[in-house]
Amino acid sequence: MNPSKRTFLIFLSALPLLACERKIDLRPHTPNWDRDVCTRCGMSVSDRLNSAQIIDAKTGEAFMFDDLGCAIAWLDEKQPAWRSDAIVYVNDASDGAWLKVEDAVLATPYITPMSFGISAFRSKEKVGAGKTVLTLQEAKKMILDTVRERKQQKELQQNEQQQHQNEQHQQGQT
């Protein structure tokens, strides 16, 4: 068999392998602003300066969030098998550019869509006066503490409502 024919046959036999290989895109995805909803809370993803997204590094699937707090809380609550490989992106609150959360300067207090109050910036110079810069670990702790407090508050309110309903029911029977 002549060399060019052999090369052609090798190329043809490798073609199915090449066609099946799918390059996984780990870059931040562009949200459909005002149409995509937060994976955790269901609110519209519309704040171009305080949104976040998580990319599954194994598949490239993007999960959109309306607030960094929702993204961190979702990872903690759902604990997907790929959690340790997850890529978390957050908007730079000064210009909307996507930053990897570990490369961002996180600061508080800011007004954010779900009131977690943490915004991200490309540099410390962008952080406003009177704001506190946080490490990623401090930000995660603050977010998860807020989630726990909100859950306890909600349970307390539900218990109070149930107690009030029980009292009304008892008064109606006497």
Side-chain angles (χ1 to χ4, degrees):
M1 182 181 310
N2 79 35
S4 62
K5 194 173 194 179
R6 183 182 317 158
T7 303
F8 182 70
L9 288 174
I10 291 171
F11 172 76
L12 282 180
S13 65
L15 197 58
L17 296 173
L18 295 173
C20 291
E21 185 180 320
R22 183 178 144 237
K23 185 162 172 55
I24 297 172
D25 187 359
L26 301 178
R27 295 173 299 177
H29 296 216
T30 302
N32 292 310
W33 298 108
D34 301 315
R35 287 184 297 210
D36 284 347
V37 295
C38 177
T39 302
R40 180 174 182 263
C41 73
M43 296 281 290
S44 177
V45 177
S46 59
D47 187 335
R48 289 163 172 80
L49 301 179
N50 285 292
S51 300
Q53 60 182 283
I54 298 173
I55 307 292
D56 176 347
K58 291 180 177 25
T59 66
E61 183 177 4
F63 299 85
M64 298 295 170
F65 300 90
D66 60 344
D67 191 303
L68 174 61
C70 279
I72 299 299
W74 182 83
L75 270 178
D76 184 68
E77 293 161 355
K78 298 298 180 186
Q79 296 194 6
W82 47 269
R83 178 181 174 191
S84 63
D85 297 323
I87 302 168
V88 179
Y89 289 102
V90 65
N91 294 118
D92 181 317
S94 60
D95 65 12
W98 290 105
L99 308 169
K100 283 187 177 181
V101 74
E102 63 268 11
D103 297 335
V105 176
L106 304 174
T108 191
Y110 284 93
I111 296 172
T112 62
M114 293 306 294
S115 300
F116 283 97
I118 300 172
S119 289
F121 300 90
R122 186 175 288 108
S123 67
K124 284 186 180 181
E125 293 75 38
K126 301 278 186 175
V127 175
K131 306 299 182 183
T132 302
V133 173
L134 305 168
T135 66
L136 181 54
Q137 289 307 316
E138 290 170 332
K140 286 179 179 180
K141 182 182 182 325
M142 187 174 153
I143 289 165
L144 297 178
D145 287 349
T146 300
V147 168
R148 272 190 292 282
E149 288 169 12
R150 289 177 181 176
K151 184 177 179 182
Q152 289 171 347
Q153 219 171 25
K154 184 177 179 180
E155 288 171 355
L156 182 62
Q157 288 173 343
Q158 288 173 339
N159 289 340
E160 287 173 353
Q161 286 177 338
Q162 185 63 47
Q163 186 177 2
H164 182 70
Q165 289 172 351
N166 290 345
E167 288 170 0
Q168 285 184 330
H169 180 73
Q170 288 175 351
Q171 286 176 355
Q173 290 183 342
T174 55

